[in-house]
């Protein structure tokens, strides 16, 4: 048997997604050779620009808490490749990842199949493992787009589409309608469709509805019509009540400061009605409350260290929703100083993201970069800050008290450093009464978490509670695992080159 490190190296060396997508013939030939591991299981397929990762996680929790053995396929990973493939929240063990890879390689060599792409291989490996693990339900997160994504190669029983915004326009189209069409491409059968395009508007809704009608989908549910009755932030999260087409839910609690997760929860809860059609209302209410109360997803307004929050927002719509929560969070925390650490991929709408982030009156903005070929240089990011901004905070805004204590009375100090570690060291200067947001890329978030874990290990600390919990299920990894991550935190050239479109940062996960 191959060693885990060698398998990770081999997978990372596989060609990534390109614009010249082939059809699903090759991928399906592997599934056939493996005995169609996807069959005999219920499949929930989730696409969207923002929110799909969180919705997948919420659905997995509901299925798991209902007694199902649930497999989840996610992207990208923050630190270890194993994070992409989970059963009941637990990552695929190293030895199973190796065994699955060897099975796929045996098919390729024995039947002279063409090579799968990086994402296709991991997808096939996930389906193989889910069968081996006795999974009953599979929740699939689309990698990029939907219509041509590997996850669309197999039939699904339920289709879910989350928020839609402009991202990956060079691959998916330069209008909301075109992007909605790519996302709606996951609809390939008559199963129910649940969607919540949010700010995308009725034009996007119409595209999805037309696709669903074309495929004879028996139910088409637009979460835009959900009524939010109450919303309250507490010291530990968000308490909210809402009503959809099926029921009313009072005092649902999410342990997060991110308001955008409420919209994701509404989508997941509405989809849950199709997963448990024969259950009584009170049973489902209790399942939903219990599942959402335990919800957590790394890199989504996560407090990675005291006063230091990380979020993977990397498109304008995600940044706009993020700032709705950050403004309130700074007020609740009575932050005396607020600062932004920003790094991004060069192929993103960096100007659009910064315009949304800089509506907030920061004391200091630190521009940096993650280690990887796709990263925009820290110095180049400064150009976007120097552009005139219509929504920049004016003098009155900068003099506004955030909570009676904090005053931002001057334009932010701008610091440029190519070292993320150096930027984080500078961030600690504001002390425990300040608030730091690190955002712009999931790759950046992954590198931050790697740095913090290394620091924790060096000091003998265990990180924050949730971080320790995540390490218990295997997201810590050994030294080689951390070097093999796609986010490029110090790995080889090949590791850094793996940060290509289609390996996951795709569609603006939340």
């Amino acid at each position: 048997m191959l060693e885990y490190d060698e398998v990770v190296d081999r997978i990372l060396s596989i060609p990534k997604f390109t614009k010249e997508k082939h059809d699903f013939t090759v991928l399906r030939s592997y599934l056939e050779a493996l005995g169609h591991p996807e069959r005999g299981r219920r499949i929930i397929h989730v696409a969207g620009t923002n929110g799909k990762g969180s919705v997948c996680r919420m659905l997995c929790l509901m299925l798991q808490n209902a007694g199902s053995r649930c497999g989840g396929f996610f992207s990208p990973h923050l630190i270890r490749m194993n994070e992409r493939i989970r059963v009941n929240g637990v990552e695929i063990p190293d030895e199973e990842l190796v065994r699955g890879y060897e099975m796929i390689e045996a098919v390729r060599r024995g039947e002279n199949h063409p090579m799968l792409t990086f994402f296709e291989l991991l997808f096939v490996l996930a389906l193989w493992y889910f069968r081996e693990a006795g999974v009953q339900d599979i929740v699939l997160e689309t990698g990029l787009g939907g219509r041509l994504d590997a996850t669309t190669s197999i039939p699904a029983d339920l289709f879910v589409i989350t928020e839609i915004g402009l991202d990956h326009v060079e691959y998916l189209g330069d209008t909301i309608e075109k992007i909605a069409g790519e996302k709606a491409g996951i609809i390939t059968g008559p199963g129910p469709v649940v969607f919540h395009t949010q700010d995308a508007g009725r034009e996007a809704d119409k595209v999805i509805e037309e696709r669903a009608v074309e495929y004879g989908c028996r139910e088409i549910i637009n979460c835009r019509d959900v009524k939010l009755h109450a919303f309250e932030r507490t010291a530990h999260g968000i308490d909210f009540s809402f009503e959809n087409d099926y029921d009313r839910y009072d005092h649902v609690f999410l342990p997060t400061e991110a308001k955008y997760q409420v919209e994701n929860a509404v989508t997941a809860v509405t989809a849950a009605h199709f997963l448990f059609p024969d259950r009584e209302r009170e049973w489902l209410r209790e399942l939903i409350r219990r599942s959402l109360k335990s919800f957590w997803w790394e890199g989504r307004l996560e407090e990675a260290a005291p006063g230091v929050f990380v979020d993977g927002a990397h498109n304008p719509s995600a940044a706009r929703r993020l700032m709705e929560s950050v403004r309130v969070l700074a007020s609740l925390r009575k932050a005396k100083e607020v600062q932004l650490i920003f790094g991004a991929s060069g192929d993103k709408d960096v100007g659009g993201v910064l315009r949304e982030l800089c509506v907030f009156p920061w004391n200091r903005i630190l521009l940096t970069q993650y280690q990887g070929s796709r990263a925009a240089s820290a110095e180049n990011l400064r150009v976007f800050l120097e552009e005139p901004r219509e929504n920049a905070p004016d003098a009155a805004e900068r003099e506004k008290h955030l909570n009676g204590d904090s005053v931002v009375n001057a334009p932010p100090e701008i610091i440029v450093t190519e070292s993320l570690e150096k930027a984080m060291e500078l961030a600690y200067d504001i002390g425990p009464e300040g608030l730091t947001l690190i955002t712009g890329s999931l790759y950046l978030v992954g590198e931050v978490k790697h740095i913090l874990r290394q620091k924790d290990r060096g000091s003998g600390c265990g990180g924050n509670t949730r971080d320790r919990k995540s390490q218990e299920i295997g997201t810590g990894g050994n030294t080689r695992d951390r070097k093999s991550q796609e986010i490029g935190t110090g790995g080889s050239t090949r590791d850094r080159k793996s940060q290509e479109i289609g390996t996951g940062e795709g569609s603006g996960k939340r």
Side-chain angles (χ1 to χ4, degrees):
M1 180 178 283
L2 296 169
E3 293 295 322
Y4 173 82
D5 294 348
E6 184 179 355
V7 168
V8 168
D9 274 338
R10 289 188 181 190
I11 295 175
L12 288 173
S13 71
I14 296 171
K16 307 303 182 292
F17 177 87
T18 65
K19 284 186 176 182
E20 290 72 35
K21 288 280 286 187
H22 55 68
D23 60 24
F24 299 134
T25 303
V26 172
L27 194 158
R28 286 170 175 161
S29 70
Y30 277 84
L31 294 177
E32 182 178 5
L34 291 169
H36 285 288
E38 77 280 8
R39 293 180 179 173
R41 273 151 276 279
R42 187 167 54 171
I43 295 175
I44 301 96
H45 197 175
V46 184
T49 304
N50 300 313
K52 63 186 185 297
S54 293
V55 168
C56 284
R57 178 59 180 156
M58 291 173 184
L59 291 172
C60 284
L61 282 170
M62 293 176 196
L63 288 163
Q64 179 182 339
N65 287 333
S68 172
R69 193 157 174 79
C70 180
F73 179 63
F74 304 94
S75 61
H77 63 268
L78 296 182
I79 294 180
R80 301 190 76 216
M81 190 175 290
N82 307 51
E83 297 169 31
R84 295 170 177 259
I85 303 169
R86 309 185 189 210
V87 172
N88 283 3
V90 180
E91 297 167 11
I92 180 173
D94 292 355
E95 59 271 19
E96 290 299 288
L97 190 147
V98 171
R99 193 160 72 92
Y101 173 79
E102 290 182 331
M103 290 286 291
I104 294 170
E105 270 295 282
V107 168
R108 184 180 69 82
R109 292 193 303 267
E111 303 189 20
N112 198 29
H113 282 292
M115 183 178 290
L116 294 169
T117 67
F118 173 89
F119 190 78
E120 288 172 338
L121 185 142
L122 288 174
F123 174 60
V124 172
L125 201 159
L127 295 176
W128 169 85
Y129 177 62
F130 292 154
R131 181 180 61 188
E132 295 295 298
V135 158
Q136 298 159 296
D137 291 293
I138 297 175
V139 179
L140 299 175
E141 178 183 356
T142 304
L144 174 65
R147 182 175 61 92
L148 299 177
D149 193 75
T151 53
T152 306
S153 64
I154 61 175
D157 301 282
L158 173 62
F159 307 100
V160 182
I161 300 175
T162 63
E163 181 189 7
I164 290 177
L166 291 174
D167 198 7
H168 293 303
V169 295
E170 70 274 32
Y171 295 95
L172 305 180
D174 56 1
T175 68
I176 288 293
E177 291 84 352
K178 289 178 181 178
I179 292 175
E182 291 296 322
K183 307 297 183 185
I186 68 169
I187 302 171
T188 55
V193 175
V194 175
F195 65 97
H196 195 3
T197 63
Q198 300 184 42
D199 292 345
R202 295 292 180 181
E203 293 79 8
D205 295 352
K206 182 181 178 182
V207 172
I208 295 169
E209 289 164 353
E210 288 177 350
R211 174 83 176 193
V213 169
E214 178 187 349
Y215 278 82
C217 296
R218 59 181 182 270
E219 291 200 59
I220 307 168
I221 306 300
N222 188 346
C223 294
R224 188 181 298 280
D225 302 324
V226 169
K227 299 177 181 66
L228 193 64
H229 291 291
F231 179 90
E232 179 185 1
R233 293 182 185 273
T234 72
H236 305 289
I238 298 173
D239 185 292
F240 64 103
S241 302
F242 69 98
E243 182 179 357
N244 61 18
D245 289 349
Y246 303 98
D247 204 353
R248 176 175 174 132
Y249 300 88
D250 292 316
H251 299 294
V252 176
F253 181 76
L254 276 171
T256 176
E257 290 84 0
K259 183 182 177 183
Y260 59 73
Q261 294 293 16
V262 172
E263 303 286 355
N264 292 331
V266 165
T267 306
V269 169
T270 304
H273 284 272
F274 297 104
L275 299 178
F276 311 103
D278 301 323
R279 293 289 191 167
E280 295 182 355
R281 285 189 173 187
E282 192 51 47
W283 180 91
L284 185 54
R285 288 185 194 127
E286 177 56 31
L287 173 72
I288 286 166
R289 287 195 185 94
R290 182 156 46 97
S291 300
L292 295 182
K293 188 176 181 179
S294 64
F295 169 77
W296 174 63
W297 202 223
E298 285 190 279
R300 283 75 180 175
L301 201 54
E302 172 193 357
E303 189 166 15
V308 178
F309 290 81
V310 295
D311 192 281
H314 56 269
N315 57 61
S317 57
R320 180 166 58 254
R321 292 191 175 276
L322 170 62
M323 294 316 299
E324 292 173 1
S325 296
V326 170
R327 183 177 293 276
V328 177
L329 179 60
S331 176
L332 290 174
R333 295 291 182 100
K334 299 182 179 180
K336 293 187 178 299
E337 287 191 68
V338 285
Q339 62 185 355
L340 170 69
I341 297 179
F342 181 79
S345 296
D347 57 354
K348 297 295 179 181
D349 181 5
V350 176
V353 173
L354 280 172
R355 278 192 293 274
E356 298 295 342
L357 296 177
C358 290
V359 171
F360 188 74
W362 304 101
N363 292 93
R364 181 160 60 173
I365 298 176
L366 297 98
L367 303 174
T368 188
Q369 62 192 74
Y370 60 83
Q371 296 181 46
S373 59
R374 285 182 60 198
S377 74
E379 192 58 47
N380 286 346
L381 294 177
R382 181 196 288 271
V383 175
F384 294 99
L385 282 183
E386 293 171 349
E387 294 177 352
R389 299 192 308 277
E390 293 180 3
N391 58 355
D394 57 19
E397 175 69 12
R398 292 193 175 282
E399 292 174 1
K400 181 180 178 180
H401 288 250
L402 289 173
N403 199 65
D405 299 316
S406 305
V407 179
V408 180
N409 54 18
E413 176 187 8
I414 308 297
I415 298 175
V416 178
T417 173
E418 294 183 357
S419 166
L420 175 58
E421 195 160 5
K422 178 63 175 177
M424 292 171 66
E425 290 174 4
L426 292 171
Y428 288 130
D429 292 347
I430 67 172
E433 294 184 330
L435 183 147
T436 299
L437 172 67
I438 306 176
T439 191
S441 169
L442 280 167
Y443 299 127
L444 184 77
V445 169
E447 190 167 336
V448 168
K449 293 178 72 65
H450 168 62
I451 291 170
L452 290 174
R453 286 180 183 176
Q454 289 290 84
K455 185 173 182 289
D456 287 339
R457 290 190 180 103
S459 63
C461 300
N464 63 42
T465 303
R466 287 177 175 175
D467 212 31
R468 287 197 299 272
K469 182 178 179 182
S470 72
Q471 292 182 49
E472 290 171 8
I473 63 171
T475 60
N478 57 36
T479 303
R480 178 59 191 84
D481 297 331
R482 289 190 298 272
K483 291 170 76 175
S484 70
Q485 60 186 302
E486 288 176 86
I487 56 175
T489 59
S492 65
T493 302
R494 179 168 51 191
D495 299 330
R496 292 192 294 273
K497 283 183 178 178
S498 70
Q499 302 175 66
E500 303 297 333
I501 295 294
T503 62
E505 185 176 12
S507 306
K509 291 170 49 67
R510 283 204 169 284

